[in-house]
Amino acid sequence: MSRVKIFDTTLRDGEQSPGVSLLPEEKLNIARLLEKLNVDVIEAGFPIASPGDFEAVRLIANEIKDVEVTGLARANKKDIDRAWDALRNGTNPRIHVFIATSPIHMKYKLQKSAGEVHKQAVEAVKYAANYTKNIEFSAEDASRSEPEFLYRLFEEVIDAGARVINIPDTVGYAVPHEFGNLIKGIKENVSNIDRAEISVHCHNDLGLAVANSLEALENGASQVEVAVNGIGERAGNTALEEIIMALYTRKDYFDFEVVQDTTCIARLSKMVTNLTGMLIQSNKAIVGDNAFAHEAGIHQDGVIKERTTYEIMDARTIGLKENKLVLGKHSGRHALRDFIAELNYDLSEENFEKIFVKFKKLADKKKKLQPIEIEALINSQLKKKNNIYELKYLSVNTGIDLLPTATLKLEKDNKVLEKAACSGDGPIDAIFQTINEITGLDIKLQSYRINAITEGRDALGEVYVKSSIDGKIYLGNSAQTDITEASARAYLETVNKHMYYKGER
Ligand code: KIV
Ligand code: ZN
């Protein structure tokens, strides 16, 4: 049985999803769970893109010992230097160099001839080889590139030191048989391909990312690039959970060894949803709410008699189990610490203490706390670290035939800013209006969703907000017992992300 390497790019391509921006510490928590799941490579960011990206790659490279960590670099010295600066103290660093190779990208985007691109790619790989032997080279838009051009280029970049040759279907244009043939052609026509691994990186614009990746594996690729929940540019990347579970469930067909701990999948999916604010659809394969739900009577009857009549996977395989663990107001620090470890979060002592205080407050309001509620507390604490505006006070007045009003106090740079505003549209709109007035920002609400995260009247309400500020999209989410507070915090998170990326902190 051969082994497929899983290269996870949730923290790089996944983070390029519109509105998603993760803080270094949030990324580190995801990386730790990816390490536990036993992926082979974690792409932690694009170090030259921003100081936050640099810091995340540095942090993850330094902390994660059992998995290779990589950072992306365009094919130029500055990008490669920056990537290496972030990676250099890691145990297993890899530099990932890329350049576009399709006629359309070379002509319009790079405005370079094929010869110039060829030369630049080879020089960049040679330059990276001064730092490490572990180099991956990607031919961006490979699926729309001339195969003959790719063959000759790959031969030279392998001679220059590339150990992994990545074939991206950057715009999700390929179809499975065609993509498989491209990989086969590379195996047959690149004379020194035995010195490199073939990797694939597929986008999901036609909903074919997973199918294309599987076809590539059958034609000689041995590394597949994936993102949790399939997040990524536009329609996203090949979904990690779908690839792993396809290989696992259809071992009989694929004959590839699966060495990943599949029981981490459900937790990882939840963590990524919570930290990115990107909700997944209920019918999403493997990790959607309905993935193991049966509605039709005939199906329910079949499953009761024999689960495998309608279930090809056991929910426990991905780590979905009845969670017997619940915490209450009598639970102490020790129990909370164990509970948090079970959720796979690794927190600083300072963060833990703050969460403990909030936990005690919440446990006073609610009898029993579920894991998902503890996770909500963790997330809001992790997000706090880089907050520029802090919510200090909120009061809302609303009712039938009343003009809804909201009064808020926000703290910024140790100063408290207070304002009241009204709105004819309702209490949530009044809150958002007040935040707009205090911050002086032109924030446009794009979407607003709310759902109860557990059952019962005392459930936490979780609000997901998408806003646009200065033409850029931001996502925010917050779960609280009071939905007006959750709304204010979710909206404010989009403001804080905007300030953070504008460089205010
Ligand atoms: O989609 C793509 O081509 C990429 C490369 C940078 C690998 O993300
Ligand atoms: Zn990509």
Side-chain angles (χ1 to χ4, degrees):
M1 261 192 182
S2 51
R3 166 127 152 59
V4 175
K5 285 199 176 163
I6 302 289
F7 174 117
D8 182 89
T9 186
T10 310
L11 306 178
R12 199 277 296 168
D13 210 319
E15 211 214 6
Q16 285 170 221
S17 311
V20 173
S21 42
L22 293 163
L23 300 170
E25 203 177 335
E26 295 174 331
K27 281 192 171 187
L28 182 59
N29 274 288
I30 295 173
R32 285 193 180 117
L33 196 42
L34 285 166
E35 184 181 35
K36 193 156 183 227
L37 183 138
N38 200 17
V39 299
D40 297 277
V41 188
I42 295 173
E43 184 164 51
F46 190 178
I48 202 148
S50 70
D53 255 51
F54 179 89
E55 179 51 19
V57 175
R58 196 194 59 79
L59 194 64
I60 291 169
N62 290 359
E63 284 258 343
I64 300 288
K65 305 282 177 229
D66 293 334
V67 173
E68 287 180 39
V69 176
T70 189
L72 187 65
R74 285 166 297 189
N76 66 58
K77 289 185 179 172
K78 241 173 127 190
D79 276 39
I80 295 169
D81 287 343
R82 191 77 177 138
W84 185 247
D85 272 351
L87 292 163
R88 63 186 327 142
N89 294 321
T91 317
N92 285 308
R94 172 186 292 192
I95 301 181
H96 181 185
V97 178
F98 80 100
I99 193 163
T101 53
S102 64
I104 191 167
H105 274 233
M106 293 192 289
K107 180 170 177 196
Y108 295 105
K109 188 181 80 175
L110 300 177
Q111 300 184 334
K112 288 197 162 140
S113 68
E116 286 171 314
V117 167
H118 186 117
K119 187 162 173 269
Q120 188 177 334
V122 176
E123 275 171 7
V125 172
K126 275 192 188 147
Y127 185 73
N130 293 321
Y131 291 132
T132 174
K133 286 193 168 28
N134 193 354
I135 301 166
E136 171 165 335
F137 172 76
S138 283
E140 192 189 10
D141 207 16
S143 55
R144 294 193 298 170
S145 304
E146 299 289 342
E148 278 299 329
F149 176 65
L150 290 180
Y151 301 156
R152 304 294 79 85
L153 176 61
F154 290 158
E155 278 170 355
E156 280 207 48
V157 292
I158 292 171
D159 278 344
R163 288 293 157 264
V164 181
I165 296 296
N166 183 38
I167 321 296
D169 179 26
T170 302
V171 289
Y173 180 73
V175 292
H177 190 61
E178 176 195 39
F179 195 61
N181 274 340
L182 176 63
I183 305 305
K184 198 163 162 231
I186 290 165
K187 258 213 117 61
E188 287 168 358
N189 294 292
V190 176
S191 57
N192 51 3
I193 197 68
D194 54 318
R195 288 201 266 132
E197 275 191 70
I198 301 180
S199 166
V200 288
H201 173 112
C202 297
H203 280 268
N204 206 29
D205 299 64
L206 293 173
L208 292 171
V210 171
N212 285 335
S213 304
L214 292 173
E215 189 76 24
L217 291 176
E218 289 202 273
N219 281 282
S222 57
Q223 173 178 284
V224 57
E225 304 200 354
V226 295
V228 178
N229 297 341
I231 64 172
E233 279 282 358
R234 306 179 312 281
N237 287 85
T238 304
L240 169 141
E241 61 281 3
E242 294 178 28
I243 285 289
I244 294 178
M245 289 313 288
L247 297 178
Y248 178 88
T249 309
R250 297 304 312 274
K251 289 189 209 62
D252 58 319
Y253 177 81
F254 286 110
D255 208 28
F256 287 122
E257 198 187 357
V258 176
V259 298
Q260 283 72 40
D261 180 354
T262 58
T263 63
C264 293
I265 287 177
R267 289 258 351 99
L268 187 56
S269 166
K270 268 270 162 310
M271 188 186 276
V272 169
T273 301
N274 287 332
L275 293 177
T276 59
M278 264 192 96
L279 276 172
I280 51 172
Q281 84 252 27
S282 308
N283 62 334
K284 163 84 181 63
I286 320 292
V287 288
D289 281 348
N290 295 350
F292 293 92
H294 302 276
E295 179 68 23
I298 298 172
H299 289 208
Q300 289 174 350
D301 182 52
V303 170
I304 290 164
K305 288 178 177 143
E306 167 53 44
R307 187 187 59 76
T308 55
T309 51
Y310 284 99
E311 276 186 7
I312 59 165
M313 293 167 276
D314 185 334
R316 285 168 300 188
T317 315
I318 64 156
L320 280 178
K321 53 183 180 213
E322 258 317 284
N323 209 317
K324 302 266 180 311
L325 277 172
V326 280
L327 291 182
K329 66 175 178 184
H330 301 299
S331 311
R333 278 189 175 71
H334 194 70
L336 181 66
R337 220 182 272 284
D338 284 355
F339 205 82
I340 290 174
E342 177 85 3
L343 291 173
N344 285 293
Y345 283 88
D346 200 342
L347 302 171
S348 64
E349 210 38 47
E350 189 193 344
N351 275 340
F352 175 80
E353 278 307 320
K354 290 192 172 141
I355 289 166
F356 184 71
V357 172
K358 286 190 191 155
F359 156 72
K360 280 289 181 190
K361 264 197 203 157
L362 188 58
D364 261 346
K365 289 192 203 161
K366 298 195 63 175
K367 261 213 206 102
K368 295 216 171 356
L369 293 179
Q370 311 282 341
I372 198 162
E373 295 166 306
I374 303 292
E375 192 159 11
L377 294 182
I378 300 172
N379 290 336
S380 77
Q381 184 56 37
L382 284 179
K383 283 170 184 171
K384 251 194 156 127
K385 194 168 163 220
N386 288 294
N387 280 359
I388 283 122
Y389 288 102
E390 200 59 72
L391 179 66
K392 288 291 173 195
Y393 173 85
L394 166 69
S395 134
V396 183
N397 193 18
T398 190
I400 298 173
D401 292 335
L402 276 181
L403 193 61
T405 55
T407 306
L408 273 92
K409 285 185 196 168
L410 302 183
E411 190 177 290
K412 182 182 184 236
D413 299 331
N414 298 323
K415 264 203 235 121
V416 176
L417 311 158
E418 181 175 359
K419 194 129 211 148
C422 52
S423 152
D425 281 343
I428 304 298
D429 191 42
I431 294 170
F432 294 172
Q433 186 54 36
T434 314
I435 292 177
N436 284 13
E437 289 189 19
I438 294 180
T439 60
L441 290 167
D442 180 22
I443 312 161
K444 294 193 175 68
L445 183 67
Q446 303 262 323
S447 71
Y448 174 92
R449 286 174 68 167
I450 182 163
N451 59 293
I453 63 171
T454 50
E455 286 167 6
R457 276 178 25 222
D458 61 357
L460 293 195
E462 182 160 46
V463 171
Y464 283 81
V465 161
K466 187 201 252 184
S467 77
S468 121
I469 310 173
D470 288 349
K472 248 193 124 230
I473 301 288
Y474 298 93
L475 301 176
N477 63 320
S478 175
Q480 307 289 336
T481 43
D482 179 332
I483 59 159
T484 57
E485 182 184 346
S487 303
R489 289 193 186 280
Y491 193 71
L492 210 50
E493 189 188 344
T494 70
V495 174
N496 280 323
K497 282 184 176 167
H498 171 73
M499 306 296 279
Y500 181 77
Y501 285 95
K502 233 179 63 183
E504 289 235 355
R505 192 149 299 173

